[in-house]
Amino acid sequence: MGKTMAVDNTAGAGAARAPAQPGKWRLGGALWLLGMPGVVAVVWALLPTLKANAALLPLPPGVVLVLSGLQTAVLLALAVALGVWLAPRVGLQAPAMSSWLAGRPAGPALRAQLLPGVCGGVAGTAWLWVLSRLAPTALQPSDPASAMPLAVKLLYGGITEELLVRWGVMTLLLWLGWRLLQRGQGRPGKGLVAAAVLLSAVLFAVGHLPAAQALAGVLTVHVVAFVLVGNTAFGLVAGWLYARHGLEAAVIAHVLAHLLSSPLL
């Protein structure tokens, strides 16, 4: 997988010195706020479905909507907190956001991540196009108007998911491996970084199974294999970008993949 930021101190912001680090509470609050529009977007997109099935719900649709939003907001807060506390210990960063919050120009750190992020986004677009041609019939919505709105894909898929899966889950997995196998000494080895990228990509794919079941009705072997392979592949790209260049590179790739693929699907 090449050099990773966790084992190469010159990676990330692309400069010889790491960006100044803001306070943990400040960074955590900023990242949580960055992910909340995605939470609001995805919950709001559920409203028509909740209203259509109001008779089957134990509570009024509005209450279910609020509770669902609160649950996701809490999970986001937990993921952000894990990343804020553990990422610096294993050499992972959000370089542009950290520089900005520390009072330094975020431009250099962001520019260093722009090209890798764009390349990842273009690769993700091509992969989504291929998947759209190979998708099982059960995963193709009968009514195109019922597809997830682009705003949800950009805000939740592109930003919130990266905070949940890469910043939270992948960071935690790498830290656990580092503590258990390296006893918390030195930088995590390449094998540990690769394992964290792979495991977080698989978990990222597994997280898409409930949506696939809602669309297909039944999770057949074909549907499960398609969802796992398709999402794991992009998860590997996003995880590598996070490890090698920083969180913002993964976000850029994810947002761009949804944006560019939208008119093609």
Side-chain angles (χ1 to χ4, degrees):
M1 296 180 64
K3 293 182 179 179
T4 61
M5 186 170 66
V7 294
D8 183 357
N9 291 333
T10 64
R17 57 177 181 174
Q21 295 298 314
K24 287 184 172 60
W25 284 104
R26 195 176 180 195
L27 178 59
L31 291 175
W32 185 80
L33 290 174
L34 184 66
M36 278 306 295
V39 175
V40 174
V42 74
V43 170
W44 187 258
L46 293 175
L47 184 57
T49 303
L50 293 176
K51 286 184 175 180
N53 297 279
L56 303 176
L57 298 175
L59 297 170
V63 176
V64 174
L65 198 70
V66 171
L67 292 176
S68 178
L70 287 175
Q71 180 184 26
T72 309
V74 170
L75 288 175
L76 176 62
L78 177 60
V80 166
L82 286 172
V84 166
W85 284 98
L86 301 180
R89 304 184 185 187
V90 291
L92 299 174
Q93 301 177 16
M97 180 68 79
S98 296
S99 294
W100 177 62
L101 292 173
R104 292 177 55 187
L110 191 58
R111 284 193 295 271
Q113 299 180 85
L114 186 59
L115 181 58
V118 169
C119 290
V122 172
T125 300
W127 183 237
L128 286 174
W129 182 85
V130 170
L131 290 177
S132 70
R133 296 321 188 252
L134 301 176
T137 303
L139 291 178
Q140 298 175 1
S142 55
D143 178 13
S146 65
M148 192 66 70
L150 180 59
V152 175
K153 294 179 180 179
L154 297 179
L155 294 174
Y156 185 83
I159 300 175
T160 309
E161 278 189 344
E162 289 305 312
L163 289 167
L164 289 168
V165 179
R166 248 62 67 178
W167 184 250
V169 174
M170 180 178 149
T171 301
L172 175 62
L173 290 172
L174 181 55
W175 180 83
L176 287 173
W178 175 66
R179 289 289 298 176
L180 292 174
L181 300 178
Q182 289 189 205
R183 300 183 182 275
Q185 301 298 315
R187 291 283 185 174
K190 292 181 180 180
L192 288 179
V193 176
V197 170
L198 175 60
L199 288 175
S200 63
V202 172
L203 291 175
F204 170 71
V206 170
H208 286 79
L209 288 177
Q213 183 175 22
L215 189 60
V218 178
L219 287 177
T220 64
V221 173
H222 187 199
V223 168
V224 171
F226 179 84
V227 171
L228 292 183
V229 171
N231 287 283
T232 296
F234 182 77
L236 292 174
V237 173
W240 178 82
L241 286 170
Y242 172 39
R244 179 63 177 84
H245 298 282
L247 177 65
E248 294 89 350
V251 170
I252 291 170
H254 206 153
V255 169
L256 199 59
H258 283 304
L259 183 63
L260 295 180
S261 66
S262 180
L264 303 177
L265 304 182

